[in-house]
Amino acid sequence: MEQDTTNGADLRGLIEPLVRGKFWMQLIGVMMIISGVLTALSIIGIIIAWIPIWAGVVLMQAAGASQRAFESADPETIKYALGRLRIYFTIFGVLLLIYLILMVLGMLFGIGAGVMGGFGGHMQ
């Protein structure tokens, strides 16, 4: 069985880029939560508003965990912080797909309405 040769300095070096970006992770997390709350104000938006709120909370957890991981140099805390980031990017990817699908559907509806409106005037 191999002995673990990593030390705290090595682990801190791995997590340092996340700690340096902690402010931005927190800022984006707060903006995602606010975005979710604003999305919930519409009738359709209330269906998907929980997604950006969840993503914001997970990103805030990742920011806090990265700071704790840097201070403790604990491999499990680093793993938790990186796991939170993975969950955030998964949620954000699904959210982006939903927004893109809704955008395309809205464009198709708008084009269809414009075409139908145009034909309506010529069919008299």
Side-chain angles (χ1 to χ4, degrees):
M1 183 170 210
E2 289 185 31
Q3 190 176 12
D4 185 14
T5 59
T6 59
N7 61 31
D10 291 341
L11 294 176
R12 281 187 183 92
L14 288 174
I15 201 74
E16 182 193 3
L18 288 182
V19 174
R20 290 179 26 172
K22 179 183 168 194
F23 169 79
W24 294 105
M25 288 193 295
Q26 290 174 331
L27 180 66
I28 292 170
V30 168
M31 291 186 333
M32 293 290 292
I33 293 168
I34 292 170
S35 169
V37 169
L38 293 175
T39 301
L41 296 177
S42 69
I43 293 171
I44 304 268
I46 202 159
I47 296 169
I48 62 166
W50 62 273
I51 298 173
I53 294 170
W54 183 27
V57 169
V58 168
L59 193 57
M60 297 287 288
Q61 290 172 340
S66 67
Q67 181 67 43
R68 287 190 307 277
F70 184 77
E71 291 167 359
S72 70
D74 176 36
E76 288 303 312
T77 309
I78 293 172
K79 186 176 179 181
Y80 177 79
L82 294 175
R84 294 279 99 185
L85 275 179
R86 181 192 58 82
I87 291 171
Y88 167 75
F89 283 113
T90 302
I91 296 168
F92 192 76
V94 169
L95 182 64
L96 189 58
L97 283 173
I98 289 170
Y99 283 157
L100 289 173
I101 289 168
L102 290 175
M103 181 186 71
V104 168
L105 290 175
M107 288 173 58
L108 292 175
F109 179 76
I111 291 170
V115 168
M116 295 306 288
F119 285 142
H122 294 299
M123 298 182 88
Q124 292 180 4

